[in-house]
Amino acid sequence: MGLCEISSLNYIADVPNVEGDRDERTSPMTTPTPASTYDERGAVQPLPTRPPLNGLATLALVYGIIAVAAGILPAVRQITGSLAVPAVALAATGLANARRLDGAGTKQAAIGLVTGFAGLAISLATYLTT
């Protein structure tokens, strides 16, 4: 490695360059903060935050839809098993989380609860009739 190659690595090693200044690419003072923006007066304004997500409600909805499909098509039930009971349990937990998260995922959890019970009823009906 020659002298030219070593001097080009200053920004990687975070070593002051020949003039004694830090390289602009590594200086924390020159990096913009991605979590804020500036308004027309130059004051820092925080970026809007994303609303909270309710993963349990989403999972309950997905499990409920699969449970309904498994109730209608016995071949799907052989692959997935009975997902109706976990869908109902996740939906109940998702509804409890929705209260804590100011209503985030309430509709998903409610639909997951309905599809979970529907999938359970369809699965029981098709199991008892066969």
Side-chain angles (χ1 to χ4, degrees), residues 19-35:
E19 292 83 27
D21 297 329
R22 289 176 52 99
D23 193 348
E24 290 180 358
R25 292 173 282 194
T26 60
S27 175
M29 300 303 283
T30 60
T31 56
T33 57

Side-chain angles (χ1 to χ4, degrees), residues 14-80:
D14 199 24
V15 177
N17 59 16
V18 178
E19 292 83 27
D21 297 329
R22 289 176 52 99
D23 193 348
E24 290 180 358
R25 292 173 282 194
T26 60
S27 175
M29 300 303 283
T30 60
T31 56
T33 57
S36 62
T37 106
Y38 298 97
D39 64 2
E40 60 276 353
R41 296 175 301 164
V44 176
Q45 298 293 321
L47 292 175
T49 59
R50 287 180 24 191
L53 300 176
N54 193 343
L56 292 176
T58 305
L59 196 58
L61 177 63
V62 171
Y63 276 18
I65 291 170
I66 294 172
V68 169
I72 295 171
L73 304 169
V76 175
R77 187 177 28 206
Q78 295 295 325
I79 296 169
T80 63

Side-chain angles (χ1 to χ4, degrees), residues 80-102:
T80 63
S82 178
L83 291 178
V85 175
V88 170
L90 287 170
T93 310
L95 283 172
N97 278 352
R99 287 192 192 120
R100 186 176 50 86
L101 296 173
D102 295 327

Side-chain angles (χ1 to χ4, degrees), residues 1-17 23 25-26:
M1 208 183 231
L3 184 58
C4 293
E5 293 171 322
I6 292 174
S7 67
S8 68
L9 296 177
N10 283 343
Y11 70 94
I12 294 174
D14 199 24
V15 177
N17 59 16
D23 193 348
R25 292 173 282 194
T26 60

